Amino acid sequence: MAKTAKSKKIVSMEEALWKSADKLRGSVEPAEYKHVVLSLFFLKFASDKFETQRKMIAEKYGNKFVDNIAFYTKDNVFYLPAESRWSYVMENAKQDDIALKIDTALFTIEKSNPALKGALPDNYYSRLHIDTNKLASLLDEIDKINTDDSENDIIGRIYEYFLGKFALAEGKGKGEFYTPKCIVNLIAELIEPYDGILYDPCCGSGGMFVQSIKFVEAHSGNKKKVSIYGQEAINTTFKLAKMNLAIRGISANLGEKAANTFTNDQHKYLKADFIMANPPFNQKEWRADNELTNDPRWKGYEVPPTSNANYGWILNIVSKLSQNGVAGFLLANGALSDDGTELKIRKQLIENGLIEAIIILPRNLFYTTDISVTLWVLNKNKKARVVEQNGKLKRYRNREDEILFMDLRQMGSPYEKKYIELTAEDRAKVTSVYHNWQQEGYEETYKNVPEFCYSASFDEVKEKGFTLVPSRYIEFVNRDENIDFDTKMKGLQAELKELLIEEEKSKADLLEVFKELGYELT
């Protein structure tokens, strides 16, 4: 029988995930771990929500309505037939046909809920041939996970966790990783996607969309005013994105199938009001030499080189922006100063007044790379105008000949020992500077700050050869000029003396221990 709630030991998600993966060793390749665990976790998550809703219906309307599907869909809860509920899976966890029962459960959920079409794996567990005991043990670990985590992107967290743990086995260097919540929040807080079309050309597990909708709701906006479009090239990740969005009741058009954004654009004629993206960094050989040379997305610009897709992603984003569209996306720092064709495209972007802000982020924000990356903000309309946004009037000044540079490398707080996250306070400081700089009366609210921000004119950027490296514009203090060498050396002298004394004491203690044991070191 399934365990009762009282007998369960609820463990942290990370602990349960690690134990879950450990159960799979020797049965499946590490690259498959996250997919095996994610679908089971989805099954438990959906079942827990279903059981909560079922209990509420019974208490409020009576038992005769507990199988009325409309009472579930109205609250964005999936209706689960008996054979697809977690309790049924756990009751049969040690049966020889448990893999088939899991596949049947997932198939039944998808068939009963149109929003999940194409999201769940088909006959996946039966094909894996995982040992029954190992699969049962895995189910026991999943059963311990507390799914009540309304503040975070749960599926994204799991995805990020597995990509971090097994980056050497898959994904590293391909850019196929989940974007940390603090970065997504920063982008959303900068571009403010309250009302209109939101697009992500490389949406991964859909975390950008999840956090953007949370941003809208947190600011008393209406998520129904945001239309979501996205695309993902990797089929398993495409399914994951659909699963992630469906479980939260977020409607989205991710195209007909998983497809390469460059060679099979699923939204050719889309014009988006907001674009958020984290494209693969420095993607090599993204097109053949004679491929996409006349693509309309490059119209008015040089054709992006085959050696690196960074500027291909930039021009794809530019081509999708509406007349007042704004985009926030991440790129490797090299894109700020690349020469050759990239320089020509960058020069064109700057001359066309599209680049609004360039923001260097701290290192160690991502699980799968420790490099410092850049957040680009593009804006199709940097002219003076008045806009009603979420019930408030914003008076923008003309910024066509200016670019805001910011350096956040001294910001952030330690997170899970080796990682950094931008706190709410950090993000508030950054967004306040950015929005003040954009608006009328900025002379009273914005100023250039050494080692943090600088508003550069077009002529300044032109004079520096159209480089977008923030340190070429932001003033940096030479701290060496302010160091009292004698005081510094005396401080180091005292520290070193103390360390040597402690070392001698440790050595004496060790010799004494061996002497007492009868093994004196002579």
Side-chain angles (χ1 to χ4, degrees):
M1 294 294 290
K3 296 178 183 178
T4 64
K6 289 183 179 179
S7 66
K8 286 183 187 178
K9 176 189 175 185
I10 302 298
V11 300
S12 72
M13 186 176 296
E14 284 72 23
E15 182 184 351
L17 285 169
W18 180 250
K19 288 182 178 180
S20 298
D22 205 40
K23 306 297 180 187
L24 299 171
R25 294 186 189 279
S27 299
V28 296
E29 292 297 317
E32 289 291 323
Y33 287 177
K34 69 178 181 296
H35 301 301
V36 176
V37 175
L38 274 169
S39 294
L40 292 177
F41 176 79
F42 171 83
L43 188 57
K44 183 177 191 300
F45 185 102
S47 293
D48 287 352
K49 300 304 177 189
F50 167 81
E51 296 295 351
T52 300
Q53 185 78 354
R54 185 180 179 85
K55 181 180 178 182
M56 183 276 292
I57 294 170
E59 291 175 350
K60 191 172 182 178
Y61 304 104
N63 287 327
K64 64 180 180 179
F65 293 103
V66 296
D67 288 314
N68 188 317
I69 296 176
F71 280 74
Y72 295 87
T73 55
K74 73 180 182 66
D75 292 326
N76 293 318
V77 175
F78 299 123
Y79 177 79
L80 274 58
E83 66 271 26
S84 60
R85 297 170 193 169
W86 185 254
S87 57
Y88 176 78
V89 171
M90 291 306 298
E91 286 168 5
N92 292 276
K94 292 180 170 54
Q95 300 298 317
D96 291 339
D97 65 345
I98 183 58
L100 178 60
K101 281 185 166 61
I102 293 171
D103 285 330
T104 300
L106 293 170
F107 173 80
T108 305
I109 294 176
E110 185 172 317
K111 186 177 179 182
S112 303
N113 299 275
L116 288 172
K117 183 181 178 182
L120 302 180
D122 181 26
N123 201 32
Y124 180 63
Y125 293 87
S126 298
R127 288 186 281 110
L128 285 175
H129 301 295
I130 300 175
D131 177 78
T132 299
N133 291 330
K134 284 194 174 185
L135 187 51
S137 186
L138 171 58
L139 290 168
D140 282 339
E141 295 302 333
I142 298 289
D143 193 45
K144 297 173 185 175
I145 298 178
N146 180 7
T147 62
D148 184 16
D149 189 9
S150 59
E151 295 303 314
N152 291 296
D153 176 10
I154 303 172
I155 292 179
R157 257 180 75 187
I158 299 174
Y159 189 57
E160 180 182 12
Y161 178 87
F162 276 97
L163 281 173
K165 284 291 183 185
F166 306 107
L168 294 178
E170 61 162 323
K172 192 164 187 177
K174 299 178 184 177
E176 186 210 340
F177 48 79
Y178 169 81
T179 310
K181 188 178 70 167
C182 69
I183 301 178
V184 183
N185 284 340
L186 175 61
I187 297 174
E189 289 156 7
L190 290 168
I191 72 173
E192 300 181 314
Y194 289 115
D195 186 351
I197 293 174
L198 173 62
Y199 169 66
D200 184 344
C202 42
C203 67
S205 62
M208 289 274 190
F209 299 138
V210 171
Q211 295 304 328
S212 295
I213 292 299
K214 287 188 176 183
F215 166 81
V216 171
E217 292 177 330
H219 291 78
S220 302
N222 185 352
K223 71 176 184 180
K224 292 182 180 179
K225 291 185 176 182
V226 181
S227 300
I228 290 175
Y229 290 80
Q231 182 160 346
E232 172 55 40
I234 300 169
N235 189 51
T236 51
T237 311
F238 173 78
K239 288 177 176 288
L240 177 61
K242 294 199 72 172
M243 189 192 313
N244 197 6
L245 297 173
I247 206 169
R248 301 171 187 287
I250 299 174
S251 298
N253 182 343
L254 302 185
E256 290 297 316
K257 58 184 179 180
N260 183 305
T261 302
F262 293 120
T263 58
N264 189 1
D265 187 357
Q266 297 285 292
H267 305 292
K268 286 186 178 180
Y269 307 109
L270 179 73
K271 291 297 180 181
D273 302 296
F274 305 98
I275 298 178
M276 301 173 69
N278 179 16
F281 295 160
N282 302 318
Q283 190 178 356
K284 309 299 181 186
E285 301 176 355
W286 60 284
R287 68 176 181 88
D289 288 337
N290 60 349
E291 187 178 36
L292 300 174
T293 53
N294 294 313
D295 194 287
R297 286 172 288 189
W298 328 140
K299 186 176 181 181
Y301 293 89
E302 297 284 324
V303 178
T306 59
S307 58
N308 192 314
N310 287 341
Y311 277 79
W313 286 111
I314 293 175
L315 293 184
N316 177 76
I317 289 169
V318 169
S319 74
K320 300 294 186 186
L321 284 173
S322 65
Q323 61 180 1
N324 293 317
V326 59
F329 56 92
L330 303 173
L331 286 178
N333 287 353
L336 299 171
S337 58
D338 282 336
D339 292 327
T341 303
E342 286 96 336
L343 172 58
K344 292 179 181 178
I345 297 173
R346 190 167 63 249
K347 178 174 179 287
Q348 291 172 299
L349 291 168
I350 295 168
E351 289 175 338
N352 290 340
L354 288 172
I355 299 176
E356 173 118 279
I358 296 293
I359 303 172
I360 291 284
L361 300 177
R363 295 181 61 177
N364 296 314
L365 283 170
F366 294 92
Y367 274 82
T368 48
T369 180
D370 66 350
I371 65 171
S372 172
V373 302
T374 308
L375 168 54
W376 294 53
V377 181
L378 304 186
N379 197 329
K380 259 313 218 11
N381 188 352
K382 293 165 65 178
K383 296 179 180 178
R385 59 195 179 106
V386 179
V387 177
E388 182 178 348
Q389 194 174 66
N390 202 31
K392 298 179 181 178
L393 287 180
K394 300 193 81 170
R395 300 181 182 278
Y396 292 99
R397 66 184 184 86
N398 190 308
R399 308 161 324 275
E400 290 180 294
D401 291 330
E402 294 177 59
I403 298 174
L404 177 64
F405 291 93
M406 300 186 76
D407 190 323
L408 313 188
R409 287 178 295 178
Q410 302 303 315
M411 300 176 75
S413 299
Y415 172 66
E416 290 186 1
K417 295 182 181 179
K418 59 185 289 190
Y419 303 110
I420 293 294
E421 67 175 347
L422 293 171
T423 65
E425 292 75 18
D426 292 331
R427 301 196 309 272
K429 179 179 179 181
V430 174
T431 54
S432 175
V433 169
Y434 172 73
H435 291 305
N436 286 340
W437 172 82
Q438 285 184 310
Q439 295 177 58
E440 289 182 1
Y442 83 108
E443 298 90 349
E444 302 296 323
T445 58
Y446 170 84
K447 65 177 181 179
N448 295 327
V449 178
E451 302 186 353
F452 179 48
C453 62
Y454 185 84
S455 179
S457 67
F458 172 83
D459 289 338
E460 287 178 283
V461 177
K462 180 180 179 180
E463 183 182 336
K464 294 184 185 297
F466 295 97
T467 179
L468 292 176
V469 177
S471 60
R472 295 291 304 275
Y473 303 93
I474 298 172
E475 179 186 353
F476 281 82
V477 178
N478 184 355
R479 291 185 173 83
D480 291 341
E481 295 177 354
N482 302 318
I483 293 175
D484 185 328
F485 184 77
D486 184 57
T487 301
K488 188 70 174 176
M489 287 304 297
K490 284 181 179 178
L492 291 172
Q493 179 187 39
E495 289 179 19
L496 183 57
K497 183 178 179 180
E498 186 175 338
L499 286 172
L500 291 173
I501 290 172
E502 290 178 0
E503 182 182 359
E504 286 299 320
K505 185 177 182 300
S506 296
K507 181 179 177 181
D509 291 343
L510 183 61
L511 291 173
E512 185 61 30
V513 168
F514 271 82
K515 182 178 179 180
E516 290 176 358
L517 292 172
Y519 296 93
E520 184 175 1
L521 300 174
T522 57

